[in-house]
Amino acid sequence: MTLQRRQILTASMLAWATPWSAFAASATSRQDELVFDGVRLIDGSGGAPQNDMRVLVANGRIAAIGSMQDVGIPHGAQRIAAPQATLLPGLISNHVHLGLYDGLVSGAAAHTPVNILGQLRLYQRYGVTTVAAMGVNTPQVYPMQALVQSGAVTGADFVVAEGGIGTPDGAPPIDMDPSPVVRPINAQQARQAVLDATSRGANYIKLWFDDFQGQQLTKMDPEVYRAAIDETHRQGKRAFVHIYYLEDAKQLLRAGADVLVHGVRDQPIDGEFVTLMKRNNAWYVPALTVEEAFFLFAEQPELLEQPFLRNALHADLRQQFAEPQWQQAQLANPALQEWKSRLTQSQRNAKSAVEQGVNVSFGTDSGAMPLRVPGFAEHRELELLVQAGLTPLQALHTATARAALALELADRGTIAQGQRADLLLVSGNPATNIRDTRNIVGVWQAGSRVV
């Protein structure tokens, strides 16, 4: 850890000690040894469910897995008998945003430690135990990250792309002053932006490339993105890139992009794209909910009355989305058919990418705008992947083991001996009905029950 980052962490932890008390880890229930007994096991590896399994957790990690005859129950261990339930790894999202909105409040006023931690807690309650905060983060996220990872406070574990790199008059359009997004105009500034972020502790570097379609913003200059990606690799980090168009995606892949944090939405992916993805060992994050969120609540307002959405949605936003005038305005938007066609194309490309052996992982862009609801969006993404033609097990694989690989997090994403005990217990069988992931019985983070 650099001296600069250590000073930031120390000062910030002292300054924020009081507001964090509501999230203190003492509110969780931790057991040294815990046994899940008789569960249906979906271990995240992509394989078929295993029935009547016993999973032993000790010291926050998976200690043993086997049949109920082969794995004993240690004396004093807490036993959870769940013969009709399914145990799976906690979900992992490769693309979220933290603290950009707090109900109807946006910008700097929403980017507070309490709001950010509240959103991490919300993800956790929905069984999303690890998220990647993909840009528009200020350095205040590092002390929060340290507190969460130390277990001092509760909330989904998270990794950080800090503010991210954009371009003047380009994406992302945000209302924060000063802006955490760095906007270099040449290669030297691009390299320095990468160096500055990594020196503070950024886990990844995020680049915004495209023009945000109807907003027709300025795209990033090739000199800038090539230098930024090269410097990212020099620092041993991975470059996550926001794209929309197929040809743009190819340009970024030729420059060495590691993860595309949106799907291609303008046309079908082709053989050249697949070849470039495989050459880079790059990852593709479809983020299907991005398009559907624009019209979902307007077309299906009855969702607003369902507890699964209602419990994730800020009361002020729910009131706004329930207004007939708001719903009519969304459905009258000239972009409605484009949103729907983008979704259809993105779903086809996700299925094609899986079929052609591209690395496909999982993310939603939840939190980037009020319509993309943290927690709810992740379960809806699973459903949209299945609607696209993936099997439920394939969809779950993207959101567990595959998502962990995309983030280079080797200690999670599967239920295997030695792995972190980040676990989601649901009633039903998500391998046959993906909506059963919504039937949350409990969530454990590193062996501690948090839901």
Side-chain angles (χ1 to χ4, degrees), residues 136-176:
V136 201
N137 303 293
T138 65
Q140 69 176 314
V141 294
Y142 297 124
M144 282 184 261
Q145 187 182 44
L147 287 167
V148 169
Q149 292 179 351
S150 72
V153 296
T154 59
D157 191 12
F158 69 109
V159 286
V160 181
E162 208 182 272
I165 298 175
T167 194
D169 301 317
I174 59 170
D175 179 24
M176 291 179 70

Side-chain angles (χ1 to χ4, degrees), residues 370-400:
L371 289 163
R372 301 173 195 163
V373 183
F376 172 84
E378 282 65 36
H379 291 265
R380 182 60 184 161
E381 182 78 13
L382 290 171
E383 295 163 19
L384 290 176
L385 286 167
V386 172
Q387 288 179 18
L390 275 65
T391 68
L393 283 173
Q394 285 177 319
L396 289 167
H397 195 204
T398 70
T400 52

Side-chain angles (χ1 to χ4, degrees), residues 395-420:
L396 289 167
H397 195 204
T398 70
T400 52
R402 305 296 283 169
L405 282 172
L407 297 177
E408 296 186 317
L409 298 174
D411 64 346
R412 68 198 72 187
T414 58
I415 300 176
Q417 190 170 7
Q419 292 286 83
R420 278 173 55 109

Side-chain angles (χ1 to χ4, degrees), residues 273-296:
F273 173 84
V274 172
T275 298
L276 288 167
M277 288 289 294
K278 291 182 177 181
R279 184 194 71 181
N280 288 17
N281 193 28
W283 288 86
Y284 185 78
V285 183
L288 303 174
T289 54
V290 166
E291 311 303 333
E292 189 194 50
F294 288 114
F295 59 85
L296 177 63

Side-chain angles (χ1 to χ4, degrees), residues 246-264:
L246 176 62
E247 291 306 315
D248 289 349
K250 292 178 183 179
Q251 287 184 45
L252 273 297
L253 289 168
R254 293 186 192 107
D258 300 294
V259 184
L260 305 181
V261 293
H262 282 278
V264 171

Side-chain angles (χ1 to χ4, degrees), residues 295 299 331 333-344:
F295 59 85
E299 282 196 340
L331 298 177
N333 193 307
L336 178 62
Q337 292 310 311
E338 183 178 357
W339 295 332
K340 292 188 173 185
S341 66
R342 289 179 194 171
L343 172 59
T344 299

Side-chain angles (χ1 to χ4, degrees), residues 190-435:
R191 290 184 183 277
Q192 189 61 51
V194 172
L195 289 169
D196 290 344
T198 56
S199 71
R200 287 187 290 265
N203 302 108
Y204 317 100
I205 298 298
K206 167 74 176 288
L207 281 75
W208 275 275
F209 178 83
D210 77 87
D211 61 0
F212 270 43
Q213 296 73 63
Q215 297 187 47
Q216 297 181 334
L217 303 176
T218 303
K219 290 185 180 182
M220 188 174 287
D221 186 277
E223 175 191 6
V224 171
Y225 69 71
R226 288 172 187 154
I229 292 172
D230 180 67
E231 192 61 46
T232 297
H233 292 163
R234 286 174 180 269
Q235 298 305 312
K237 303 296 183 181
R238 310 185 88 189
F240 286 60
V241 184
H242 178 122
I243 57 92
Y244 176 93
Y245 306 100
L246 176 62
E247 291 306 315
D248 289 349
K250 292 178 183 179
Q251 287 184 45
L252 273 297
L253 289 168
R254 293 186 192 107
D258 300 294
V259 184
L260 305 181
V261 293
H262 282 278
V264 171
R265 288 158 279 175
D266 66 321
Q267 57 184 301
I269 59 174
D270 58 18
E272 182 183 18
F273 173 84
V274 172
T275 298
L276 288 167
M277 288 289 294
K278 291 182 177 181
R279 184 194 71 181
N280 288 17
N281 193 28
W283 288 86
Y284 185 78
V285 183
L288 303 174
T289 54
V290 166
E291 311 303 333
E292 189 194 50
F294 288 114
F295 59 85
L296 177 63
F297 304 142
E299 282 196 340
Q300 301 181 46
E302 65 275 10
L303 293 175
L304 300 170
E305 300 301 325
Q306 295 181 4
F308 194 77
L309 171 60
R310 190 182 185 113
N311 292 338
L313 192 58
H314 193 287
D316 292 344
L317 291 175
R318 183 190 168 279
Q319 181 178 355
Q320 182 185 74
F321 299 160
E323 293 174 356
Q325 298 91 331
W326 179 89
Q327 296 168 12
Q328 292 163 10
Q330 291 298 105
L331 298 177
N333 193 307
L336 178 62
Q337 292 310 311
E338 183 178 357
W339 295 332
K340 292 188 173 185
S341 66
R342 289 179 194 171
L343 172 59
T344 299
Q345 186 62 72
S346 194
Q347 287 182 301
R348 289 172 178 165
N349 284 340
K351 184 173 187 291
S352 178
V354 170
E355 291 173 342
Q356 296 184 72
V358 170
N359 290 327
V360 176
S361 67
F362 184 82
T364 62
D365 207 10
S366 57
M369 59 183 298
L371 289 163
R372 301 173 195 163
V373 183
F376 172 84
E378 282 65 36
H379 291 265
R380 182 60 184 161
E381 182 78 13
L382 290 171
E383 295 163 19
L384 290 176
L385 286 167
V386 172
Q387 288 179 18
L390 275 65
T391 68
L393 283 173
Q394 285 177 319
L396 289 167
H397 195 204
T398 70
T400 52
R402 305 296 283 169
L405 282 172
L407 297 177
E408 296 186 317
L409 298 174
D411 64 346
R412 68 198 72 187
T414 58
I415 300 176
Q417 190 170 7
Q419 292 286 83
R420 278 173 55 109
D422 291 351
L423 303 169
L424 171 61
L425 185 67
V426 301
S427 62
N429 184 3
T432 57
N433 180 4
I434 195 62
R435 285 182 65 91

